[in-house]
Amino acid sequence: MNDLQRLKEMGITVWDIRRPECYPDLAPQPVSLPEHCKLLLVCDAQPSEQEAWLFSKVLASMKLSVEQALYLPPQAVNLLGKHQLDWCWFAGTQQTDIDGVKMLTSPSLAVLDNDQLAKKQLWQQIKQYES
């Protein structure tokens, strides 16, 4: 088994090389998103079942389906290639600018699930883009 297979089995799909000059063949590849992806959720870990339920409710309020959204870890945002995104939601992580995309920020989905004020603030961000 090679190192890339081990990393994949451990759930590590994006990584940084400390000394990239030593590995010219392992240059970071751009992250490709499917054309149907309209919203990118950027957070530290894939949503749990409860968090996914909350996420689907927020998407529905935005007239988006779960199929139109994808998760990406924060360290991979800088590798984002060509995309058709309308929205990027940074949940519990620092925002990175993406040109031409509506940006949302909130606490992590776990915190958001139990914080009515944070939900209200997220809703206000979403509504500001509609006006």
Side-chain angles (χ1 to χ4, degrees), residues 21-38:
E21 65 277 3
C22 294
Y23 303 95
D25 294 338
L26 292 179
Q29 298 298 312
V31 173
S32 300
L33 299 177
E35 285 188 31
H36 66 271
C37 181
K38 298 299 178 191

Side-chain angles (χ1 to χ4, degrees), residues 14-96:
V14 177
W15 61 90
D16 290 325
I17 299 174
R18 287 187 196 169
R19 295 179 41 203
E21 65 277 3
C22 294
Y23 303 95
D25 294 338
L26 292 179
Q29 298 298 312
V31 173
S32 300
L33 299 177
E35 285 188 31
H36 66 271
C37 181
K38 298 299 178 191
L39 182 140
L40 191 61
L41 174 66
V42 180
C43 55
D44 290 323
Q46 286 192 3
S48 68
E49 189 173 323
Q50 176 63 28
E51 293 165 351
W53 179 84
L54 171 65
F55 181 60
S56 70
K57 294 299 180 189
V58 173
L59 287 175
S61 76
M62 300 170 71
K63 298 178 178 47
L64 293 172
S65 68
V66 173
E67 292 78 23
Q68 292 176 293
L70 288 175
Y71 152 80
L72 194 67
Q75 62 270 29
V77 172
N78 292 330
L79 299 175
L80 194 59
K82 185 178 176 185
H83 59 79
Q84 305 289 333
L85 288 173
D86 292 330
W87 299 89
C88 191
W89 177 3
F90 291 87
T93 188
Q94 186 174 353
Q95 179 178 324
T96 304

